[in-house]
Amino acid sequence: MARRLSIPGLVNLLEVSDAREIRRLDAEPHLDRHLAPAGGLVNRLRLARLRQAFVFDGEPLPALLAREAEGRASRHAELGRRLEERTEASSWRQDPAFKTLVEAVAGQAEAEALGPAAQGLLGRLFRDDYRADEASYAAARLLDAYPRGNVLRALGQRLTGRLRRARRLLAERARGEPLALHATGIAVHNLVASLTAMRELAATPQAHGLSLAAVLGRTLAAPETLLRRVQAPLSTPCAPRRLEPGDLVVLRLAQAARGSGDRELAFMGQSWARCPAQGFILALLAAVWEQAMAVRQGGRGA
Ligand code: HEM
């Protein structure tokens, strides 16, 4: 159900968590991703936090770029093609981190191993020598949580330099490449959440009887929220009153996708902003699950 929060000069926000409303709003040309200051005080603070975390060298990270941002569509299409090749070659099998992911999902390695292993595997899609460890994964967690944390904690992270250090470490490891930074700083958390859910499912008695589709339906983790900003006045059946420029629209994607088994929605597969990693991630998760089940049954495994 849509929820409107409107106090003039302070906050103007529409939140939706219904799959149909999310798709309808996402298709509106008057809604876009823009981080420049606009709207009431709370809207501005929210946008400021996103800029502080996710703008590097003056540019928002890839999944925060506006629809018409120069090169966005072609760069992401190119990434999609590259990841498709990797998927066809099952290239993750050569990465030592793949074995760690399998062992952790099978319950033979600690759950804590998932984060650095997933980050390393994603980083090496972009740089053969990408190195992930506890510090780089902790930095990614800080970056991801920063825009959502409470005001005092966020202020503390800025004043003590923790945010700056986390950003610097991630940028160094990714050698400043925006797509690598996105994958290892932000997207990694959806992969880790999916693998963590798989680990829990794998430990249950019914795990072996489940089809792959059922496993992915239960475990695939979508981003918690996607943010859009209103660019021009917009009347929509999803909002009781007209939306005005500067209003924020929060698409509560995880809630909409949770348990629905709708994989297209989890990756916004029908959107102008669709995730170029959808095929790769689904194939990787499938491979990890199959190998982990084999390990648990005492088979050959990874
Ligand atoms: C379980 C894992 C993942 C999920 C569920 C996921 C989901 C999504 C979603 C929902 C969007 C749309 C964002 C929006 O509409 O504002 C998106 C965008 C994007 N994702 Fe993913 N993602 C995952 C992993 C990855 C990985 C590993 C990469 C990189 C290797 C990646 C690269 C991107 C890029 C570049 C965009 C921006 C697309 C554009 O605006 O053109 N994602 N992702």
Side-chain angles (χ1 to χ4, degrees):
M1 261 297 104
R3 197 168 71 98
R4 180 89 200 250
L5 198 58
S6 181
I7 305 172
L10 193 62
V11 57
N12 297 90
L13 198 86
L14 177 73
E15 275 194 351
V16 292
S17 53
D18 173 79
R20 257 181 319 150
E21 289 184 332
I22 288 179
R23 287 200 168 104
R24 182 190 276 262
L25 283 166
D26 177 66
E28 283 290 347
H30 290 169
L31 286 189
D32 205 345
R33 304 188 290 211
H34 268 290
L35 299 184
L41 183 66
V42 174
N43 291 28
R44 283 168 184 267
L45 289 174
R46 195 160 180 156
L47 292 165
R49 286 253 209 122
L50 288 169
R51 286 196 303 276
Q52 287 152 14
F54 300 138
V55 173
F56 286 78
D57 294 330
E59 274 283 297
L61 287 181
L64 291 166
L65 287 172
R67 192 187 296 230
E68 300 302 336
E70 204 186 330
R72 178 194 65 82
S74 57
R75 273 198 307 275
H76 298 169
E78 162 60 19
L79 172 66
R81 282 192 292 275
R82 248 188 321 129
L83 291 178
E84 232 169 75
E85 283 168 20
R86 302 260 183 155
T87 307
E88 272 166 28
S90 303
S91 65
W92 50 74
R93 287 180 203 277
Q94 279 93 59
D95 194 308
F98 177 65
K99 186 162 180 275
T100 309
L101 297 183
V102 169
E103 286 170 358
V105 169
Q108 297 191 350
E110 297 297 320
E112 287 69 33
L114 283 173
Q119 190 182 42
L121 189 141
L122 292 181
R124 286 185 288 279
L125 294 173
F126 300 92
R127 308 203 60 92
D128 290 344
D129 60 351
Y130 187 92
R131 190 167 62 81
D133 51 25
E134 277 174 25
S136 59
Y137 185 60
R141 291 185 56 168
L142 189 146
L143 189 75
D144 182 58
Y146 177 80
R148 288 176 278 114
N150 81 43
V151 182
L152 287 178
R153 169 181 290 197
L155 190 63
Q157 286 170 335
R158 279 188 80 199
L159 293 178
T160 58
R162 284 188 68 206
L163 176 66
R164 187 168 32 82
R165 285 194 295 278
R167 282 166 45 89
R168 198 171 50 208
L169 180 61
L170 290 167
E172 274 168 15
R173 297 279 170 102
R175 308 261 173 94
E177 151 66 60
L179 279 168
L181 254 169
H182 167 76
T184 56
I186 305 178
V188 62
H189 303 292
N190 299 316
L191 177 57
V192 172
S194 306
L195 292 164
T196 304
M198 277 190 167
R199 176 185 160 93
E200 282 160 21
L201 185 58
T204 62
Q206 74 269 29
H208 286 283
L210 291 174
S211 68
L212 196 56
V215 171
L216 291 172
R218 288 192 198 191
T219 56
L220 182 63
E224 210 48 52
T225 56
L226 306 177
L227 192 69
R228 301 287 190 264
R229 208 181 81 185
V230 180
Q231 299 298 102
L234 170 65
S235 297
T236 159
C238 306
R241 264 179 296 118
R242 195 172 76 161
L243 298 171
E244 300 296 338
D247 288 3
L248 291 179
V249 175
V250 179
L251 309 176
R252 303 202 70 86
L253 190 63
Q255 194 177 331
R258 202 169 289 140
S260 73
D262 188 339
R263 288 185 233 162
E264 284 293 301
L265 184 66
F267 293 96
M268 292 298 277
Q270 295 164 359
S271 168
W272 59 271
R274 75 187 65 86
C275 177
Q278 174 171 353
F280 174 84
I281 290 289
L282 288 175
L284 172 64
L285 288 172
V288 171
W289 177 259
E290 277 164 4
Q291 295 271 319
M293 285 295 101
V295 167
R296 284 184 73 90
Q297 278 171 332
R300 216 167 35 83

